[in-house]
Amino acid sequence: MKKNITLKKGLNLNLAGSVRRPDVTEVKVTRVAVTPDDFPGFVPKLDVQPGDVVKAGQPLLHDKNAEAMKLCSPVAGKVAEVVRGARRKIERVVVECDAAGEAVTLPADMQVKELILASGLWPWMRQRPYDIVPSPDVKPRDIFVTALDTAPLAPDYAMPAAEVLAAGVKALASLTDGKVYIGVASDSDFPEVTGAVTVGFNRLHPAGNAGVQAANIAPVNKGEVIWTLSLDTLARIGSLMLDRRADFSATVALTGSEVTDPCMLKTVAGAEIKPLVEGRLAADGHKRIISGNVLTGVPVGEEGYLRFPYRQITVIPEGDDADEFMGWASMSPSKLSESRSFPGHFSGKEFAPDARLNGGRRAMIMSGVYDKYMPMDILPEYLVKAILSRDIDKMEALGIYEVAPEDFALAEYADPSKLELQQIVRDGLEYLRKEV
């Protein structure tokens, strides 16, 4: 029987531009990109050069510290370019698609771990502590799958076929001596899966975060390791077990107030953005195109590429061309705010916020605001202060092993100090990983 957990801390942002129709439109793209920065802890080393012809599922990069761990091409085609940044850092590998190309089929005698590593799906999982790609040499205490996405404008997960779900759970269960948990919506009809424990959560963001679910089911302590992943990654692993091929297709929700008709699009992981948004955006005004949701996504622009986890594109006004009476201090009922000081807080309407900061950054204000949006047994404000001061003992005592940057996204939105909390937490996790 499914156990239900009701979280009382959190906030659902009522934004305009949600998908309201179930049909999916397929969009063909000519280029895709694999971006190593999407996979924290993965140290990339090239396996291909510009001009090389590759199959779908062929490795483009491997991890310098674990050569068996790969990032593979989502499509067959030709390597168009390897984009490098400062100090020759690999920013992305771009592949031109060839619909007539072949896909890699992995040997039938491969073990589960070898199969996932060779397929390129291993980096799609995350490890706590540190919120990084899991080490293949470490066995997790438990594995947590989230089948619930509560982020702003996020779509519901598509239900995988029963045999795919069962194969994925069976594969994960072989990698741990503990349990495989699947976090679902309390009001969903998600089926019971042999080998997994199903736990229901109410739809109050951030209930869909894997770390929040783990913290309320079986928190990770110092010296322990857990893995987390999403339902679509579980489905890909299940499909891999059955077909010996990695499935890199992606169903993306195109959302936001600047989208004329929010819809679901079928494409491929890492797809170029332009074909996905072309002809689907409002004609006037400056726009910010975000790969992901408004809280944790990455601004990419029309010339960019879909970033991991390849599930959502959000388009909102940039705000640099806004002409508003009193500017950020306006008390307009059309302004979105978590504060009861603003009339819009009580309106219940859908809002179309822009990307402006609305106020200047200032010293950290210990207001207790963070705690209202984090349903975890930690003291977030004190943890942030410990990270900023690089006090390792306090960071450990205050629960840094349980958290990831996304867990602080709501607190960052509501923060009166305008601190970049997600980047602070990421920097703290990297510092701790190097020092401990």
Side-chain angles (χ1 to χ4, degrees):
M1 176 179 284
K2 179 173 68 177
K3 173 187 176 182
N4 289 329
I5 295 175
T6 301
L7 303 182
K8 297 181 179 179
K9 294 181 179 180
L11 179 69
N12 289 330
L13 300 182
N14 193 17
L15 304 185
S18 60
V19 175
R20 302 188 186 278
R21 52 190 179 90
D23 56 301
V24 179
T25 302
E26 186 169 358
V27 179
K28 299 292 185 182
V29 297
T30 58
R31 285 187 162 207
V32 302
V34 174
T35 306
D37 277 353
D38 290 342
F39 307 96
F42 186 96
V43 184
K45 193 168 184 179
L46 273 175
D47 289 329
V48 295
Q49 296 297 328
D52 289 355
V53 176
V54 296
K55 298 179 180 180
Q58 180 176 328
L60 300 177
L61 303 144
H62 69 266
D63 184 81
K64 187 176 180 180
N65 300 321
E67 291 191 12
M69 193 190 306
K70 317 286 187 181
L71 284 175
C72 296
S73 176
V75 296
K78 183 172 70 175
V79 179
E81 59 179 333
V82 177
V83 180
R84 294 182 181 269
R87 303 177 71 176
R88 294 189 56 77
K89 173 187 175 182
I90 301 172
E91 294 191 343
R92 61 181 175 272
V93 180
V94 181
V95 179
E96 290 182 351
C97 306
D98 179 4
E102 300 179 356
V104 172
T105 300
L106 295 169
D109 59 350
M110 269 190 167
Q111 299 299 313
V112 170
K113 181 184 288 188
E114 295 174 332
L115 195 58
I116 301 175
L117 285 166
S119 70
L121 293 178
W122 190 277
W124 292 35
M125 300 188 288
R126 293 291 178 270
Q127 167 193 304
R128 302 288 171 98
Y130 309 126
D131 187 46
I132 57 173
V133 173
S135 168
D137 299 327
V138 177
K139 181 173 284 191
R141 187 204 69 195
D142 297 304
I143 299 176
F144 294 83
V145 180
T146 176
L148 170 65
D149 194 343
T150 54
L153 301 177
D156 288 333
Y157 281 98
M159 181 63 67
E163 62 271 18
V164 170
L165 196 60
V169 169
K170 182 179 178 182
L172 292 181
S174 71
L175 300 177
T176 177
D177 294 330
K179 297 179 179 179
V180 177
Y181 294 95
I182 302 180
V184 304
S186 299
D187 57 1
S188 73
D189 55 357
F190 195 93
E192 295 289 336
V193 184
T194 302
V197 179
T198 306
V199 182
F201 290 86
N202 55 320
R203 296 177 182 267
L204 180 65
H205 190 61
N209 290 2
V212 170
Q213 294 180 6
N216 286 274
I217 297 172
V220 58
N221 299 307
K222 184 177 180 180
E224 297 178 338
V225 171
I226 62 171
W227 293 353
T228 66
L229 63 153
S230 61
L231 182 66
D232 53 2
T233 301
L234 174 66
R236 287 181 170 92
I237 292 173
S239 178
L240 174 68
M241 296 300 124
L242 297 175
D243 302 332
R244 286 321 198 242
R245 290 186 180 185
D247 177 15
F248 292 104
S249 63
T251 302
V252 181
L254 179 59
T255 63
S257 59
E258 295 300 288
V259 179
T260 54
D261 184 18
C263 58
M264 301 296 294
L265 305 173
K266 184 176 182 180
T267 183
V268 65
E272 55 185 334
I273 294 291
K274 191 170 185 177
L276 301 180
V277 302
E278 201 165 30
R280 296 182 172 91
L281 305 184
D284 56 336
H286 299 170
K287 301 171 183 61
R288 177 170 293 192
I289 300 175
I290 302 168
S291 180
N293 62 73
V294 294
L295 295 177
T296 63
V298 180
V300 291
E302 280 197 30
E303 303 305 318
Y305 295 87
L306 194 62
R307 303 286 292 271
F308 184 82
Y310 314 120
R311 283 182 39 80
Q312 185 179 358
I313 299 171
T314 309
V315 188
I316 61 174
E318 185 66 54
D320 58 354
D321 56 346
D323 184 12
E324 184 179 33
F325 176 67
M326 294 181 65
W328 65 266
S330 169
M331 297 296 288
S332 168
S334 297
K335 185 179 289 292
L336 172 68
S337 176
E338 62 85 31
S339 172
R340 295 174 180 268
S341 302
F342 285 79
H345 180 88
F346 304 97
S347 69
K349 64 179 288 187
E350 291 184 339
F351 293 89
D354 56 41
R356 288 178 294 170
L357 188 61
N358 286 336
R361 292 183 175 88
R362 55 189 69 90
M364 185 175 179
I365 302 170
M366 298 291 285
S367 60
V369 169
Y370 301 173
D371 190 58
K372 294 166 60 177
Y373 305 109
M374 294 195 65
M376 305 172 75
D377 189 20
I378 64 172
L379 298 172
E381 289 180 336
Y382 292 95
L383 176 56
V384 169
K385 290 187 72 174
I387 293 172
L388 290 172
S389 62
R390 295 294 189 259
D391 189 327
I392 291 177
D393 290 339
K394 284 188 177 179
M395 288 158 66
E396 291 180 339
L398 290 166
I400 195 168
Y401 292 122
E402 296 184 50
V403 303
E406 66 176 5
D407 299 326
F408 284 77
L410 263 181
E412 182 177 293
Y413 158 74
D415 183 17
S417 304
K418 313 290 184 183
L419 298 180
E420 295 181 352
L421 296 179
Q422 293 181 79
Q423 188 59 52
I424 289 171
V425 173
R426 170 57 65 197
D427 292 344
L429 291 170
E430 289 300 312
Y431 174 79
L432 193 65
R433 185 161 69 95
K434 292 175 182 177
E435 294 294 327
V436 174

